[in-house]
Amino acid sequence: MSTDPESADDPTPRGTAPEDTGSQLDAALRRVGSGTAVTDTGQIDVLATVGGWRGLAESVLPSAVFLVAFITTQHLWGAGIAAVAVAAVFSVVRLIQRQSPVQALAGLAAVALCVVVALNTGEARDYYLWGFVTNAAYILALSVSVFVGWPLLGLVFGMVRNEGLQWRQQAGRRRRYALATWILVAALGLRLVVQVPLYLADLLTALGTARLVMGLPLYALALWLGWLVSASKPRT
């Protein structure tokens, strides 16, 4: 299976919102749930989970451009415009390819929101603030899903594995899917543990670098580990 399918009539969302943690994770989960990030051998395709090289570029470049532009010029407006311009190019390309307008404009809207927040406060570090909010919201939602007995990764992976909701009738399967979901919670929690202190200390370069390193690749790794630990034991 290709790691970066880009068919114009493919209904699976390929775009990601570069600075919107919730949108990134939501897109990755939908790719897995639709089967587009699962290989013919039944394994998770890590690169496809993040939307291939194109999805990775759309996630990384606007933030990287913002960080480099601000560090170089110390001009918040210029850095914001540069980041929005990069996201706009990706969106225009998707529109030219006749993809869903909502899908094509999602990343642009997310970057624009982050820029607006930063311009409103006058602090470059606040470009990353919205990501903390969505990150915390997903941690809460994922944790609640485990506590109420409906771990989110069980719903997603169970659909791909043709288990439906039958896994809920088996204590062992429920535990495995709960563990998989906790792995994802841990990955999201790690982002806050590392990045919030950098934000509070106003260490913009370190914060921006950490955001790039701990973005989509970390989600993909967490989903891959969750897939492995939730695999059913082979029958003897």
Side-chain angles (χ1 to χ4, degrees), residues 89-155:
V89 170
F90 286 122
S91 295
V92 169
V93 171
R94 291 189 177 279
L95 288 173
I96 292 174
Q97 293 179 334
R98 300 179 181 275
Q99 296 186 16
S100 164
V102 174
Q103 170 187 330
L105 297 175
L108 176 59
V111 173
L113 174 62
C114 294
V115 170
V116 167
V117 172
L119 292 176
N120 186 57
T121 64
E123 295 283 347
R125 64 177 181 171
D126 287 338
Y127 177 87
Y128 304 101
L129 188 58
W130 182 245
F132 295 149
V133 175
T134 56
N135 197 91
Y138 257 82
I139 289 176
L140 177 61
L142 288 164
S143 299
V144 169
S145 77
V146 175
F147 288 132
V148 300
W150 291 84
L152 180 59
L153 289 193
L155 299 176

Short mmCIF file of all heavy atoms in Angstrom, two decimals, residues 89-155:
data_model
loop_
_atom_site.label_atom_id
_atom_site.label_comp_id
_atom_site.label_asym_id
_atom_site.label_seq_id
_atom_site.Cartn_x
_atom_site.Cartn_y
_atom_site.Cartn_z
N VAL A 89 -0.38 28.27 0.59
CA VAL A 89 0.10 27.56 -0.61
C VAL A 89 -0.38 26.12 -0.60
O VAL A 89 -0.88 25.60 -1.61
CB VAL A 89 1.65 27.61 -0.68
CG1 VAL A 89 2.16 26.67 -1.77
CG2 VAL A 89 2.12 29.03 -0.95
N PHE A 90 -0.25 25.44 0.54
CA PHE A 90 -0.72 24.06 0.64
C PHE A 90 -2.23 23.99 0.39
O PHE A 90 -2.72 23.08 -0.28
CB PHE A 90 -0.41 23.49 2.03
CG PHE A 90 1.04 23.15 2.24
CD1 PHE A 90 1.76 23.72 3.27
CD2 PHE A 90 1.67 22.24 1.41
CE1 PHE A 90 3.09 23.41 3.46
CE2 PHE A 90 3.02 21.91 1.59
CZ PHE A 90 3.73 22.50 2.62
N SER A 91 -2.97 24.94 0.94
CA SER A 91 -4.42 24.94 0.77
C SER A 91 -4.81 25.16 -0.70
O SER A 91 -5.71 24.50 -1.22
CB SER A 91 -5.06 26.02 1.65
OG SER A 91 -4.87 25.74 3.02
N VAL A 92 -4.14 26.09 -1.37
CA VAL A 92 -4.44 26.36 -2.77
C VAL A 92 -4.17 25.12 -3.62
O VAL A 92 -4.96 24.79 -4.52
CB VAL A 92 -3.60 27.55 -3.28
CG1 VAL A 92 -3.70 27.67 -4.79
CG2 VAL A 92 -4.06 28.84 -2.62
N VAL A 93 -3.08 24.44 -3.33
CA VAL A 93 -2.76 23.22 -4.08
C VAL A 93 -3.87 22.19 -3.92
O VAL A 93 -4.29 21.54 -4.89
CB VAL A 93 -1.41 22.62 -3.62
CG1 VAL A 93 -1.20 21.24 -4.23
CG2 VAL A 93 -0.27 23.56 -4.00
N ARG A 94 -4.38 22.04 -2.72
CA ARG A 94 -5.46 21.08 -2.48
C ARG A 94 -6.75 21.51 -3.19
O ARG A 94 -7.49 20.67 -3.70
CB ARG A 94 -5.71 20.92 -0.98
CG ARG A 94 -4.56 20.21 -0.27
CD ARG A 94 -4.90 19.85 1.15
NE ARG A 94 -3.82 19.11 1.76
CZ ARG A 94 -3.60 17.81 1.60
NH1 ARG A 94 -4.42 17.11 0.83
NH2 ARG A 94 -2.60 17.20 2.19
N LEU A 95 -7.01 22.80 -3.21
CA LEU A 95 -8.20 23.28 -3.92
C LEU A 95 -8.06 23.04 -5.42
O LEU A 95 -9.03 22.67 -6.09
CB LEU A 95 -8.41 24.76 -3.63
CG LEU A 95 -8.88 25.11 -2.21
CD1 LEU A 95 -8.88 26.62 -2.01
CD2 LEU A 95 -10.27 24.54 -1.94
N ILE A 96 -6.87 23.26 -5.95
CA ILE A 96 -6.62 23.00 -7.37
C ILE A 96 -6.85 21.53 -7.69
O ILE A 96 -7.33 21.18 -8.78
CB ILE A 96 -5.19 23.43 -7.76
CG1 ILE A 96 -5.07 24.95 -7.69
CG2 ILE A 96 -4.83 22.93 -9.16
CD1 ILE A 96 -3.66 25.47 -7.92
N GLN A 97 -6.52 20.67 -6.74
CA GLN A 97 -6.71 19.23 -6.93
C GLN A 97 -8.15 18.79 -6.64
O GLN A 97 -8.43 17.61 -6.58
CB GLN A 97 -5.75 18.46 -6.00
CG GLN A 97 -4.30 18.64 -6.38
CD GLN A 97 -3.37 17.90 -5.44
OE1 GLN A 97 -3.69 17.65 -4.27
NE2 GLN A 97 -2.20 17.53 -5.94
N ARG A 98 -9.03 19.78 -6.46
CA ARG A 98 -10.45 19.54 -6.26
C ARG A 98 -10.76 18.73 -5.00
O ARG A 98 -11.70 17.92 -4.97
CB ARG A 98 -11.07 18.84 -7.49
CG ARG A 98 -10.93 19.64 -8.77
CD ARG A 98 -11.53 18.87 -9.95
NE ARG A 98 -11.39 19.60 -11.19
CZ ARG A 98 -12.22 20.54 -11.61
NH1 ARG A 98 -13.27 20.85 -10.87
NH2 ARG A 98 -12.02 21.15 -12.75
N GLN A 99 -9.98 18.93 -3.98
CA GLN A 99 -10.28 18.30 -2.70
C GLN A 99 -11.32 19.13 -1.96
O GLN A 99 -11.59 20.28 -2.32
CB GLN A 99 -9.00 18.15 -1.87
CG GLN A 99 -7.98 17.22 -2.52
CD GLN A 99 -6.79 16.96 -1.62
OE1 GLN A 99 -6.84 17.21 -0.43
NE2 GLN A 99 -5.72 16.45 -2.19
N SER A 100 -11.90 18.54 -0.94
CA SER A 100 -12.93 19.22 -0.16
C SER A 100 -12.43 20.57 0.35
O SER A 100 -11.33 20.65 0.91
CB SER A 100 -13.35 18.35 1.03
OG SER A 100 -14.05 19.11 1.98
N PRO A 101 -13.20 21.65 0.15
CA PRO A 101 -12.76 22.96 0.65
C PRO A 101 -12.48 22.97 2.15
O PRO A 101 -11.54 23.60 2.61
CB PRO A 101 -13.94 23.88 0.29
CG PRO A 101 -14.60 23.21 -0.87
CD PRO A 101 -14.46 21.74 -0.61
N VAL A 102 -13.32 22.26 2.90
CA VAL A 102 -13.11 22.19 4.36
C VAL A 102 -11.78 21.53 4.65
O VAL A 102 -10.98 22.01 5.47
CB VAL A 102 -14.25 21.41 5.03
CG1 VAL A 102 -13.95 21.21 6.52
CG2 VAL A 102 -15.58 22.15 4.85
N GLN A 103 -11.51 20.42 3.97
CA GLN A 103 -10.25 19.70 4.15
C GLN A 103 -9.08 20.57 3.73
O GLN A 103 -8.06 20.65 4.42
CB GLN A 103 -10.29 18.43 3.31
CG GLN A 103 -8.96 17.69 3.19
CD GLN A 103 -9.05 16.54 2.22
OE1 GLN A 103 -10.11 15.94 2.06
NE2 GLN A 103 -7.96 16.23 1.55
N ALA A 104 -9.21 21.24 2.60
CA ALA A 104 -8.11 22.03 2.07
C ALA A 104 -7.80 23.26 2.93
O ALA A 104 -6.64 23.67 3.03
CB ALA A 104 -8.44 22.47 0.64
N LEU A 105 -8.82 23.83 3.54
CA LEU A 105 -8.64 25.07 4.29
C LEU A 105 -8.43 24.85 5.78
O LEU A 105 -8.18 25.81 6.52
CB LEU A 105 -9.86 25.98 4.07
CG LEU A 105 -10.08 26.44 2.62
CD1 LEU A 105 -11.39 27.23 2.51
CD2 LEU A 105 -8.91 27.29 2.14
N ALA A 106 -8.52 23.60 6.25
CA ALA A 106 -8.40 23.32 7.69
C ALA A 106 -7.04 23.75 8.23
O ALA A 106 -6.94 24.40 9.27
CB ALA A 106 -8.64 21.84 7.96
N GLY A 107 -5.97 23.37 7.52
CA GLY A 107 -4.64 23.73 7.98
C GLY A 107 -4.42 25.23 7.99
O GLY A 107 -3.83 25.77 8.92
N LEU A 108 -4.90 25.91 6.95
CA LEU A 108 -4.76 27.35 6.87
C LEU A 108 -5.49 28.03 8.02
O LEU A 108 -4.96 28.97 8.64
CB LEU A 108 -5.32 27.85 5.53
CG LEU A 108 -5.36 29.37 5.33
CD1 LEU A 108 -3.96 29.96 5.45
CD2 LEU A 108 -5.98 29.70 3.98
N ALA A 109 -6.69 27.56 8.34
CA ALA A 109 -7.46 28.15 9.43
C ALA A 109 -6.75 27.98 10.76
O ALA A 109 -6.73 28.89 11.60
CB ALA A 109 -8.85 27.53 9.48
N ALA A 110 -6.15 26.81 10.97
CA ALA A 110 -5.46 26.55 12.23
C ALA A 110 -4.24 27.45 12.39
O ALA A 110 -3.99 28.01 13.46
CB ALA A 110 -5.05 25.08 12.30
N VAL A 111 -3.46 27.58 11.32
CA VAL A 111 -2.29 28.45 11.38
C VAL A 111 -2.72 29.90 11.60
O VAL A 111 -2.12 30.63 12.41
CB VAL A 111 -1.46 28.34 10.08
CG1 VAL A 111 -0.34 29.37 10.07
CG2 VAL A 111 -0.87 26.94 9.96
N ALA A 112 -3.75 30.32 10.89
CA ALA A 112 -4.24 31.69 11.05
C ALA A 112 -4.69 31.95 12.49
O ALA A 112 -4.43 33.03 13.05
CB ALA A 112 -5.39 31.95 10.08
N LEU A 113 -5.36 30.96 13.10
CA LEU A 113 -5.80 31.12 14.48
C LEU A 113 -4.61 31.31 15.42
O LEU A 113 -4.62 32.18 16.30
CB LEU A 113 -6.61 29.89 14.91
CG LEU A 113 -7.02 29.82 16.38
CD1 LEU A 113 -7.92 31.01 16.73
CD2 LEU A 113 -7.74 28.51 16.68
N CYS A 114 -3.57 30.50 15.23
CA CYS A 114 -2.38 30.61 16.08
C CYS A 114 -1.71 31.97 15.91
O CYS A 114 -1.25 32.57 16.88
CB CYS A 114 -1.40 29.49 15.73
SG CYS A 114 -2.00 27.84 16.14
N VAL A 115 -1.66 32.46 14.67
CA VAL A 115 -1.07 33.76 14.40
C VAL A 115 -1.89 34.87 15.05
O VAL A 115 -1.34 35.79 15.66
CB VAL A 115 -0.94 34.00 12.88
CG1 VAL A 115 -0.55 35.45 12.59
CG2 VAL A 115 0.09 33.04 12.28
N VAL A 116 -3.20 34.78 14.95
CA VAL A 116 -4.08 35.79 15.54
C VAL A 116 -3.89 35.85 17.05
O VAL A 116 -3.83 36.93 17.65
CB VAL A 116 -5.56 35.50 15.20
CG1 VAL A 116 -6.49 36.35 16.05
CG2 VAL A 116 -5.82 35.77 13.72
N VAL A 117 -3.78 34.68 17.70
CA VAL A 117 -3.57 34.65 19.15
C VAL A 117 -2.26 35.35 19.50
O VAL A 117 -2.19 36.16 20.44
CB VAL A 117 -3.56 33.20 19.66
CG1 VAL A 117 -3.14 33.16 21.13
CG2 VAL A 117 -4.94 32.57 19.50
N ALA A 118 -1.20 35.04 18.74
CA ALA A 118 0.10 35.65 19.02
C ALA A 118 0.07 37.16 18.79
O ALA A 118 0.60 37.94 19.59
CB ALA A 118 1.17 35.01 18.14
N LEU A 119 -0.56 37.59 17.72
CA LEU A 119 -0.65 39.03 17.43
C LEU A 119 -1.49 39.76 18.47
O LEU A 119 -1.22 40.92 18.82
CB LEU A 119 -1.23 39.25 16.03
CG LEU A 119 -0.35 38.82 14.86
CD1 LEU A 119 -1.09 39.00 13.54
CD2 LEU A 119 0.97 39.59 14.84
N ASN A 120 -2.52 39.07 18.96
CA ASN A 120 -3.41 39.70 19.94
C ASN A 120 -2.70 39.96 21.27
O ASN A 120 -2.96 40.97 21.93
CB ASN A 120 -4.63 38.80 20.17
CG ASN A 120 -5.67 39.45 21.06
OD1 ASN A 120 -6.17 40.53 20.77
ND2 ASN A 120 -5.98 38.78 22.17
N THR A 121 -1.81 39.04 21.65
CA THR A 121 -1.08 39.21 22.91
C THR A 121 0.25 39.93 22.72
O THR A 121 0.83 40.42 23.69
CB THR A 121 -0.81 37.84 23.56
OG1 THR A 121 0.06 37.07 22.71
CG2 THR A 121 -2.11 37.08 23.78
N GLY A 122 0.73 39.93 21.48
CA GLY A 122 2.02 40.55 21.22
C GLY A 122 3.19 39.68 21.62
O GLY A 122 4.33 40.14 21.65
N GLU A 123 2.92 38.41 21.92
CA GLU A 123 3.95 37.47 22.35
C GLU A 123 4.10 36.36 21.32
O GLU A 123 3.14 35.64 21.04
CB GLU A 123 3.60 36.86 23.70
CG GLU A 123 3.56 37.85 24.84
CD GLU A 123 4.96 38.23 25.31
OE1 GLU A 123 5.93 37.54 24.92
OE2 GLU A 123 5.08 39.22 26.06
N ALA A 124 5.29 36.18 20.77
CA ALA A 124 5.51 35.15 19.77
C ALA A 124 5.24 33.75 20.33
O ALA A 124 4.75 32.87 19.62
CB ALA A 124 6.94 35.23 19.24
N ARG A 125 5.53 33.56 21.60
CA ARG A 125 5.34 32.25 22.19
C ARG A 125 3.87 31.82 22.20
O ARG A 125 3.55 30.63 22.23
CB ARG A 125 5.87 32.22 23.63
CG ARG A 125 5.13 33.14 24.59
CD ARG A 125 5.64 33.01 26.01
NE ARG A 125 4.89 33.90 26.91
CZ ARG A 125 5.01 33.86 28.23
NH1 ARG A 125 5.83 32.99 28.80
NH2 ARG A 125 4.30 34.69 28.98
N ASP A 126 2.96 32.79 22.14
CA ASP A 126 1.53 32.47 22.16
C ASP A 126 1.04 31.87 20.85
O ASP A 126 -0.11 31.45 20.75
CB ASP A 126 0.71 33.70 22.53
CG ASP A 126 0.86 34.06 24.00
OD1 ASP A 126 1.22 33.17 24.78
OD2 ASP A 126 0.63 35.24 24.36
N TYR A 127 1.90 31.84 19.85
CA TYR A 127 1.59 31.11 18.61
C TYR A 127 1.31 29.64 18.94
O TYR A 127 0.54 28.98 18.26
CB TYR A 127 2.77 31.23 17.66
CG TYR A 127 2.62 30.47 16.36
CD1 TYR A 127 1.99 31.04 15.26
CD2 TYR A 127 3.13 29.18 16.22
CE1 TYR A 127 1.86 30.36 14.06
CE2 TYR A 127 3.00 28.49 15.03
CZ TYR A 127 2.37 29.08 13.96
OH TYR A 127 2.24 28.39 12.77
N TYR A 128 1.93 29.14 19.99
CA TYR A 128 1.81 27.73 20.36
C TYR A 128 0.76 27.48 21.43
O TYR A 128 0.55 26.34 21.84
CB TYR A 128 3.16 27.22 20.85
CG TYR A 128 4.27 27.41 19.84
CD1 TYR A 128 5.16 28.47 19.97
CD2 TYR A 128 4.41 26.56 18.74
CE1 TYR A 128 6.17 28.68 19.04
CE2 TYR A 128 5.42 26.77 17.81
CZ TYR A 128 6.29 27.81 17.96
OH TYR A 128 7.28 28.02 17.03
N LEU A 129 0.10 28.53 21.89
CA LEU A 129 -0.81 28.41 23.03
C LEU A 129 -2.02 27.54 22.72
O LEU A 129 -2.43 26.71 23.55
CB LEU A 129 -1.27 29.80 23.47
CG LEU A 129 -2.07 29.88 24.77
CD1 LEU A 129 -1.27 29.31 25.93
CD2 LEU A 129 -2.47 31.33 25.07
N TRP A 130 -2.63 27.71 21.54
CA TRP A 130 -3.83 26.95 21.20
C TRP A 130 -3.56 25.45 21.19
O TRP A 130 -4.41 24.65 21.54
CB TRP A 130 -4.38 27.41 19.85
CG TRP A 130 -5.63 26.70 19.45
CD1 TRP A 130 -5.81 25.85 18.40
CD2 TRP A 130 -6.90 26.77 20.11
NE1 TRP A 130 -7.11 25.39 18.34
CE2 TRP A 130 -7.79 25.94 19.39
CE3 TRP A 130 -7.37 27.46 21.24
CZ2 TRP A 130 -9.13 25.78 19.78
CZ3 TRP A 130 -8.70 27.30 21.61
CH2 TRP A 130 -9.55 26.46 20.88
N GLY A 131 -2.35 25.07 20.80
CA GLY A 131 -1.99 23.66 20.81
C GLY A 131 -2.06 23.05 22.20
O GLY A 131 -2.45 21.89 22.37
N PHE A 132 -1.71 23.83 23.22
CA PHE A 132 -1.81 23.34 24.60
C PHE A 132 -3.26 23.07 24.98
O PHE A 132 -3.57 22.08 25.64
CB PHE A 132 -1.21 24.36 25.58
CG PHE A 132 0.26 24.59 25.42
CD1 PHE A 132 0.81 25.83 25.70
CD2 PHE A 132 1.09 23.57 24.98
CE1 PHE A 132 2.17 26.05 25.57
CE2 PHE A 132 2.45 23.78 24.83
CZ PHE A 132 2.99 25.02 25.12
N VAL A 133 -4.15 23.96 24.56
CA VAL A 133 -5.56 23.81 24.89
C VAL A 133 -6.14 22.55 24.27
O VAL A 133 -6.79 21.74 24.95
CB VAL A 133 -6.35 25.05 24.42
CG1 VAL A 133 -7.85 24.85 24.66
CG2 VAL A 133 -5.86 26.30 25.14
N THR A 134 -5.91 22.36 22.97
CA THR A 134 -6.46 21.17 22.30
C THR A 134 -5.79 19.90 22.79
O THR A 134 -6.43 18.84 22.90
CB THR A 134 -6.29 21.29 20.77
OG1 THR A 134 -4.91 21.51 20.45
CG2 THR A 134 -7.12 22.44 20.24
N ASN A 135 -4.51 20.00 23.13
CA ASN A 135 -3.78 18.85 23.66
C ASN A 135 -4.41 18.39 24.98
O ASN A 135 -4.67 17.19 25.19
CB ASN A 135 -2.32 19.23 23.89
CG ASN A 135 -1.42 18.03 24.04
OD1 ASN A 135 -0.86 17.54 23.07
ND2 ASN A 135 -1.25 17.55 25.26
N ALA A 136 -4.67 19.33 25.87
CA ALA A 136 -5.29 19.01 27.16
C ALA A 136 -6.69 18.45 26.98
O ALA A 136 -7.11 17.52 27.69
CB ALA A 136 -5.34 20.26 28.03
N ALA A 137 -7.43 18.99 26.00
CA ALA A 137 -8.79 18.50 25.75
C ALA A 137 -8.77 17.04 25.30
O ALA A 137 -9.61 16.23 25.72
CB ALA A 137 -9.47 19.37 24.70
N TYR A 138 -7.82 16.69 24.46
CA TYR A 138 -7.72 15.30 24.00
C TYR A 138 -7.29 14.37 25.12
O TYR A 138 -7.74 13.23 25.21
CB TYR A 138 -6.76 15.20 22.81
CG TYR A 138 -7.50 15.07 21.50
CD1 TYR A 138 -8.00 16.18 20.86
CD2 TYR A 138 -7.74 13.83 20.93
CE1 TYR A 138 -8.70 16.07 19.67
CE2 TYR A 138 -8.44 13.70 19.75
CZ TYR A 138 -8.91 14.83 19.12
OH TYR A 138 -9.63 14.72 17.95
N ILE A 139 -6.40 14.83 25.97
CA ILE A 139 -6.00 14.01 27.12
C ILE A 139 -7.22 13.70 27.98
O ILE A 139 -7.42 12.55 28.41
CB ILE A 139 -4.92 14.74 27.95
CG1 ILE A 139 -3.60 14.76 27.20
CG2 ILE A 139 -4.75 14.06 29.32
CD1 ILE A 139 -2.51 15.54 27.91
N LEU A 140 -8.04 14.69 28.23
CA LEU A 140 -9.24 14.50 29.03
C LEU A 140 -10.21 13.54 28.35
O LEU A 140 -10.72 12.60 28.98
CB LEU A 140 -9.92 15.85 29.26
CG LEU A 140 -11.25 15.81 30.03
CD1 LEU A 140 -11.03 15.23 31.43
CD2 LEU A 140 -11.85 17.21 30.12
N ALA A 141 -10.45 13.74 27.05
CA ALA A 141 -11.40 12.89 26.33
C ALA A 141 -10.93 11.45 26.27
O ALA A 141 -11.71 10.51 26.49
CB ALA A 141 -11.61 13.44 24.91
N LEU A 142 -9.65 11.24 26.00
CA LEU A 142 -9.10 9.89 25.92
C LEU A 142 -9.16 9.20 27.28
O LEU A 142 -9.49 8.00 27.37
CB LEU A 142 -7.66 9.93 25.42
CG LEU A 142 -7.48 10.27 23.93
CD1 LEU A 142 -6.02 10.66 23.65
CD2 LEU A 142 -7.89 9.10 23.05
N SER A 143 -8.82 9.94 28.33
CA SER A 143 -8.85 9.36 29.68
C SER A 143 -10.27 8.96 30.08
O SER A 143 -10.49 7.87 30.62
CB SER A 143 -8.28 10.36 30.69
OG SER A 143 -6.95 10.70 30.40
N VAL A 144 -11.22 9.83 29.80
CA VAL A 144 -12.62 9.52 30.12
C VAL A 144 -13.08 8.30 29.35
O VAL A 144 -13.80 7.44 29.89
CB VAL A 144 -13.52 10.73 29.80
CG1 VAL A 144 -15.00 10.34 29.88
CG2 VAL A 144 -13.23 11.87 30.77
N SER A 145 -12.65 8.16 28.09
CA SER A 145 -13.07 7.01 27.29
C SER A 145 -12.63 5.70 27.91
O SER A 145 -13.33 4.69 27.84
CB SER A 145 -12.53 7.14 25.86
OG SER A 145 -11.15 6.82 25.77
N VAL A 146 -11.44 5.72 28.55
CA VAL A 146 -10.96 4.50 29.22
C VAL A 146 -11.75 4.25 30.50
O VAL A 146 -12.19 3.12 30.77
CB VAL A 146 -9.46 4.62 29.54
CG1 VAL A 146 -9.00 3.41 30.36
CG2 VAL A 146 -8.64 4.74 28.28
N PHE A 147 -11.96 5.29 31.27
CA PHE A 147 -12.66 5.14 32.55
C PHE A 147 -14.10 4.65 32.39
O PHE A 147 -14.62 3.94 33.25
CB PHE A 147 -12.63 6.45 33.34
CG PHE A 147 -11.28 6.80 33.89
CD1 PHE A 147 -10.75 8.07 33.72
CD2 PHE A 147 -10.53 5.86 34.58
CE1 PHE A 147 -9.50 8.40 34.23
CE2 PHE A 147 -9.28 6.17 35.10
CZ PHE A 147 -8.77 7.45 34.92
N VAL A 148 -14.74 5.02 31.29
CA VAL A 148 -16.14 4.59 31.08
C VAL A 148 -16.22 3.27 30.33
O VAL A 148 -17.30 2.79 30.01
CB VAL A 148 -16.95 5.68 30.35
CG1 VAL A 148 -16.97 6.96 31.14
CG2 VAL A 148 -16.42 5.90 28.93
N GLY A 149 -15.06 2.68 30.03
CA GLY A 149 -15.05 1.36 29.40
C GLY A 149 -15.15 1.37 27.88
O GLY A 149 -15.40 0.32 27.27
N TRP A 150 -14.94 2.54 27.26
CA TRP A 150 -14.98 2.63 25.80
C TRP A 150 -13.69 3.29 25.30
O TRP A 150 -13.74 4.37 24.71
CB TRP A 150 -16.18 3.45 25.34
CG TRP A 150 -17.50 2.77 25.59
CD1 TRP A 150 -18.22 2.77 26.73
CD2 TRP A 150 -18.24 2.00 24.64
NE1 TRP A 150 -19.38 2.06 26.58
CE2 TRP A 150 -19.42 1.56 25.29
CE3 TRP A 150 -18.04 1.62 23.31
CZ2 TRP A 150 -20.37 0.78 24.67
CZ3 TRP A 150 -18.98 0.85 22.68
CH2 TRP A 150 -20.13 0.43 23.35
N PRO A 151 -12.53 2.67 25.53
CA PRO A 151 -11.27 3.28 25.10
C PRO A 151 -11.28 3.63 23.62
O PRO A 151 -11.65 2.80 22.77
CB PRO A 151 -10.21 2.21 25.42
CG PRO A 151 -10.98 0.93 25.57
CD PRO A 151 -12.32 1.32 26.09
N LEU A 152 -10.91 4.84 23.30
CA LEU A 152 -11.04 5.35 21.94
C LEU A 152 -10.29 4.50 20.92
O LEU A 152 -10.79 4.22 19.83
CB LEU A 152 -10.52 6.80 21.88
CG LEU A 152 -10.60 7.47 20.51
CD1 LEU A 152 -12.03 7.49 20.00
CD2 LEU A 152 -10.03 8.87 20.56
N LEU A 153 -9.09 4.07 21.27
CA LEU A 153 -8.34 3.27 20.30
C LEU A 153 -8.97 1.90 20.11
O LEU A 153 -8.76 1.26 19.07
CB LEU A 153 -6.88 3.14 20.73
CG LEU A 153 -6.05 4.42 20.62
CD1 LEU A 153 -4.57 4.12 20.76
CD2 LEU A 153 -6.31 5.13 19.29
N GLY A 154 -9.74 1.44 21.07
CA GLY A 154 -10.50 0.20 20.87
C GLY A 154 -11.55 0.39 19.79
O GLY A 154 -11.76 -0.49 18.94
N LEU A 155 -12.22 1.53 19.79
CA LEU A 155 -13.23 1.81 18.78
C LEU A 155 -12.60 1.92 17.39
O LEU A 155 -13.15 1.42 16.41
CB LEU A 155 -13.97 3.11 19.13
CG LEU A 155 -14.72 3.11 20.47
CD1 LEU A 155 -15.33 4.49 20.73
CD2 LEU A 155 -15.81 2.05 20.47
#
